[in-house]
Amino acid sequence: MTVQFLLPKWFDLHVHLRQGSNMVHYVQAQIEMACAGVLAMPNTLPPTAKILQQDDLPYWSLEEYRQMLLDAGADAFEQLIVPLYLTKDTTPNMIEQGAQSGLLQACKYYPPHGTTNSDHGRPLANFMENGVFQAMEEYGIVLCIHGEKHGLKGPDYFDSEINAERSFYEEDMVKLAVRFPKLKIVAEHMTTKEAVAFVKKGGNNIAGSITPQHLLYTVGNLVQGLRYHLYCLPLVKFNADLEALRQAVTDPKNTKFFAGTDSAPHTKKATECGCAAGCFTGGVAPQLYAEAFEEDGCDLGAPENQEIFKRFLCTNGPNFYGFKPSEKTFMLSKTPDVAKPLKMDNGETVTPLPVGLERPELAWSITDIQS
Ligand code: NCD
Ligand code: ZN
């Protein structure tokens, strides 16, 4: 008999929905994979980095970007969180203003120039010294962290024993957690065993999100055939890292690790001189997460394992951010499916994983989404 089970609709606590006419398609792809709500990343063009529209700074405000998302179909979501992009212009007063207006629940730290549209990021030390993190700690605002050291070259950036994420978690993150012991921190899109160890060791104020690609693939999958659809930042790592990530999410006691796809659509992935960082998993993320659980030997036909999967996908994230899991449901079935490229109005397409990799089929499919 086909394995199938009912789950609460889930929350994607890290996704890129961009701006402009493509947004509707990205939002729709979330809805079609039974996503009940999102945390929508602020690395928009321009960045979403002020609170109110009237504030005199050359950015979009949380107010404006939220409204764009709602107009693009995000009004169907039960939750819509937009974190504030931390820039050189972020002040403790802005944090206070955001918290008091009810518009601000989270802020996003980007390593300067470390990833797509992160040019406005500033070093972590700035926000440790200028009162921003202190204000966030005081007001209970969550810090979403892209945890990679910036400005590294060659072997320090990526090598078998050291990489930008590992040094960030072993150096910067440790300082941050000691200095602001009550600050709520999400280690986003974790890729290394060192990041897993950091989150496990931390208090209940520290959690981590994990993408489907980092639970399924290693750097070998990326370089064998240069499968550039798998190129995202932080990069997929080594097998020991993959195993640590899988162990974290399939642990029956897991309360700290949750889904955040980092689905990051690019209509042009490869250019003449490089490749845009970001994997697109709109429409396919729960299916890929299920596949990763099973590859780790966690048989999703067993009710106790379905419960572990549910915690990772549907309840740990809401518990950490402080909202209720969804009361609506969808069905996940072990019936094969195919991921389809997403078409934009102008004819461009965005290719979802696992298309373009060695195994393009999906082992799982989604049905019966309650609206
Ligand atoms: C993201 C994007 O394309 O916006 N890319 C990525 O590789 N994950 C940016 C980010 O979250 O790092
Ligand atoms: Zn991202």
Side-chain angles (χ1 to χ4, degrees):
M1 221 181 68
T2 311
V3 170
Q4 56 171 31
F5 59 107
L6 214 55
L7 283 162
K9 286 170 78 172
W10 63 290
F11 293 89
D12 189 345
L13 290 161
H14 180 134
V15 61
H16 298 267
L17 299 174
R18 312 296 192 205
Q19 61 280 309
S21 60
N22 292 353
M23 274 175 111
V24 282
H25 301 290
Y26 304 148
V27 171
Q28 193 54 34
Q30 295 295 124
I31 291 171
E32 283 170 13
M33 60 174 170
C35 179
V38 297
L39 184 135
M41 283 292 127
N43 65 333
T44 44
L45 295 171
T48 300
K50 64 183 187 184
I51 308 291
L52 301 175
Q53 188 169 0
Q54 71 208 37
D55 299 339
D56 187 23
L57 287 167
Y59 307 120
W60 277 344
S61 64
L62 295 182
E63 250 187 335
E64 288 165 283
Y65 189 49
R66 271 187 78 83
Q67 194 55 50
M68 284 178 225
L69 287 163
L70 294 173
D71 293 343
D75 53 345
F77 290 139
E78 296 169 26
Q79 277 293 331
L80 174 60
I81 303 175
V82 179
L84 182 78
Y85 190 137
L86 295 174
T87 70
K88 66 176 178 19
D89 296 310
T90 318
T91 60
N93 279 347
M94 276 168 81
I95 304 299
E96 186 182 347
Q97 177 201 16
Q100 284 171 351
S101 68
L103 280 165
L104 184 68
Q105 288 141 284
C107 294
K108 171 76 186 203
Y109 166 78
Y110 280 108
H113 311 285
T115 183
T116 308
N117 302 345
S118 67
D119 307 354
H120 293 266
R122 282 294 170 275
L124 202 71
N126 285 27
F127 307 112
M128 289 179 57
E129 302 308 327
N130 71 2
V132 166
F133 288 161
Q134 195 183 327
M136 289 175 63
E137 188 179 45
E138 262 168 51
Y139 286 99
I141 304 298
V142 175
L143 175 59
C144 302
I145 288 208
H146 181 125
E148 288 191 290
K149 240 192 196 339
H150 60 277
L152 299 177
K153 297 259 181 290
D156 289 330
Y157 178 67
F158 191 82
D159 209 283
S160 59
E161 289 306 316
I162 193 72
N163 60 66
E165 182 174 296
R166 177 175 180 172
S167 14
F168 187 87
Y169 279 90
E170 291 184 341
E171 295 159 26
D172 310 49
M173 271 296 235
V174 175
K175 284 186 207 146
L176 178 71
V178 169
R179 177 92 180 267
F180 302 98
K182 296 207 179 81
L183 181 61
K184 287 185 88 169
I185 299 174
V186 180
E188 298 202 296
H189 44 54
M190 303 162 43
T191 70
T192 56
K193 52 188 190 314
E194 290 79 17
V196 172
F198 173 85
V199 172
K200 282 190 173 169
K201 228 173 104 190
N204 288 338
N205 58 319
I206 296 175
S209 68
I210 307 184
T211 76
Q213 62 269 23
H214 293 108
L215 287 170
L216 280 170
Y217 306 110
T218 64
V219 66
N221 299 105
L222 172 69
V223 297
Q224 196 168 34
L226 271 188
R227 310 277 177 172
Y228 61 81
H229 289 297
L230 185 54
Y231 176 65
C232 69
L233 295 173
L235 283 164
V236 282
K237 301 286 188 315
F238 297 92
N239 208 41
D241 298 297
L242 180 97
E243 279 174 6
L245 293 165
R246 286 183 175 177
Q247 191 282 328
V249 299
T250 58
D251 181 346
K253 295 201 189 73
N254 169 28
T255 56
K256 290 186 148 222
F257 301 97
F258 51 79
T261 62
D262 197 12
S263 180
H266 289 274
T267 47
K268 290 185 189 67
K269 270 294 275 180
T271 69
E272 272 175 32
C273 57
C275 184
C279 296
F280 180 59
T281 47
V284 300
Q287 301 91 310
L288 294 178
Y289 281 129
E291 189 169 328
F293 268 62
E294 291 222 309
E295 283 205 4
D296 194 48
C298 186
D299 169 12
L300 290 178
E304 63 274 21
N305 292 340
Q306 293 169 3
E307 185 60 33
I308 299 172
F309 185 71
K310 178 175 102 181
R311 257 181 256 152
F312 168 71
L313 189 71
C314 317
T315 62
N316 284 353
N319 289 346
F320 186 82
Y321 275 94
F323 60 87
K324 284 219 308 261
S326 182
E327 284 171 8
K328 295 185 176 156
T329 58
F330 72 103
M331 185 76 84
L332 193 60
S333 318
K334 201 167 178 182
T335 28
D337 202 355
V338 264
K340 292 172 231 40
L342 192 69
K343 273 208 170 66
M344 304 299 113
D345 298 337
N346 64 3
E348 288 181 329
T349 57
V350 179
T351 306
L353 295 181
V355 178
L357 296 173
E358 269 168 68
R359 280 173 299 129
E361 311 81 28
L362 298 166
W364 292 79
S365 55
I366 282 181
T367 54
D368 302 293
I369 304 174
Q370 224 178 24
S371 56

